[in-house]
Amino acid sequence: MKSMTGYGKGIAEDAERKICVEIKSVNHRFLDLNIKLPRNFNFAEDTLRRAVKGRVERGHLDIYVSYERRGNTKLVLNEELAKEYCTLAAKSKMKYNIGDDFGVSVLFKMPEVITSEEEDDDESAVLKLLEDAANSAIDALESMRVREGELLQSDIVSKVVNIGAFVDKVEQRTPIAVAEHKTKMTERINEVISGVAFDEARLLNEIAFYTDKVAIDEEIARLRSHISHFNHICSGGGAIGKKLDFIIQEMNRETNTIGSKCCDSEISAAVIDCKCEIEKIREQIQNIE
């Protein structure tokens, strides 16, 4: 079981360049990637998406890529412009009879005389580093998601155990509740028709009808099946969040049916406790991949 919340960072570099990939993940119904790339890095987006999709199945991921290029710029002398500056300096010296302090250092400070240009990058080298950095970031992300998933699983399993205890309690309480209802019904009838003969067979039919109406054997059996299925899915791997969400919905439906059928106070209290546990599990499942 893996959480959808996590963070990972990966760095890859060679002699000329360095790439850093950071990934922050939160829960989402599907896989949603928000990628922030440096300028002129659009050619690398598909490679990054494939690397992530190959290993992450659900979650909203904010992915940040930073790039550092070493020694990728060169200085270029604008010879025509430099020549014009020198010509103007010489003419000014002669025309105005002034001293000549126009040297190389001054020339290079003049606007647009010296410019810098970035050398074309090797896209294949960039993609290789990007993939390495992305895999390192995903490794760190998955490690954190697994650790948080283990904590979630431990808590969820303990709550499922509580639901199983609820099922046991309801199953044990049901025949007692039916017997108590039979006794109360008999006492009320005797009180109302005190001294008057009544059809005992009719009374037994009414009790049998009530017993059939409040029978929850099927609901209990399905609830036990859902618990077993839930535990089996939890013990597996991969993206199980959606499956668990569907199962917990079915568990909630069966619990509601039990609550609507039974008017016994102890069973009603147990139903409320069970629904509270189910709701807690439902909230935690939203963060499971």
Side-chain angles (χ1 to χ4, degrees), residues 1-169:
M1 183 181 293
K2 291 188 289 187
S3 167
M4 281 191 283
T5 302
Y7 171 81
K9 179 178 180 180
I11 297 175
E13 56 186 318
D14 59 19
E16 297 182 10
R17 52 189 69 83
K18 176 181 178 181
I19 294 181
C20 176
V21 176
E22 294 182 86
I23 304 176
K24 180 182 178 182
S25 172
V26 295
N27 62 316
H28 195 274
R29 291 182 61 192
F30 309 103
L31 180 61
D32 180 40
L33 304 182
N34 178 34
I35 300 176
K36 302 292 185 181
L37 292 170
R39 183 174 60 89
N40 300 328
F41 246 59
N42 291 333
F43 70 91
E45 183 171 345
D46 287 343
T47 297
L48 186 56
R49 285 185 178 275
R50 285 195 299 269
V52 175
K53 287 183 177 181
R55 300 180 58 187
V56 180
E57 297 189 52
R58 288 182 68 199
H60 172 82
L61 276 64
D62 290 312
I63 305 172
Y64 304 93
V65 179
S66 60
Y67 179 60
E68 177 184 336
R69 183 86 184 275
R70 299 161 180 160
N72 64 315
T73 59
K74 63 179 180 179
L75 298 178
V76 179
L77 173 64
N78 188 330
E79 295 186 7
E80 291 297 326
L81 185 59
K83 183 178 179 180
E84 289 186 17
Y85 276 121
C86 292
T87 301
L88 286 174
K91 288 181 179 180
S92 297
K93 175 185 175 182
M94 295 177 62
K95 182 174 181 179
Y96 301 108
N97 193 25
I98 57 177
D100 184 6
D101 60 351
F102 189 82
V104 175
S105 60
V106 176
L107 176 64
F108 282 3
K109 292 179 181 179
M110 303 306 291
E112 305 299 326
V113 172
I114 300 296
T115 58
S116 61
E117 293 182 356
E118 291 189 359
E119 297 178 352
D120 293 337
D121 209 343
D122 183 349
E123 291 189 3
S124 61
V126 170
L127 293 177
K128 177 62 170 61
L129 287 180
L130 178 64
E131 193 169 1
D132 291 344
N135 284 327
S136 296
I138 297 170
D139 287 341
L141 173 70
E142 290 293 274
S143 179
M144 180 177 289
R145 283 158 64 109
V146 168
R147 287 196 303 270
E148 292 196 14
E150 289 173 351
L151 297 176
L152 282 174
Q153 183 171 3
S154 176
D155 189 56
I156 288 173
V157 168
S158 67
K159 287 178 171 55
V160 174
V161 170
N162 294 338
I163 295 175
F166 148 79
V167 176
D168 294 337
K169 182 176 182 179

Side-chain angles (χ1 to χ4, degrees), residues 193-212:
I193 63 172
S194 178
V196 180
F198 65 92
D199 188 349
E200 186 172 353
R202 178 69 180 274
L203 173 61
L204 293 176
N205 285 336
E206 290 295 330
I207 294 173
F209 174 76
Y210 172 80
T211 303
D212 182 65

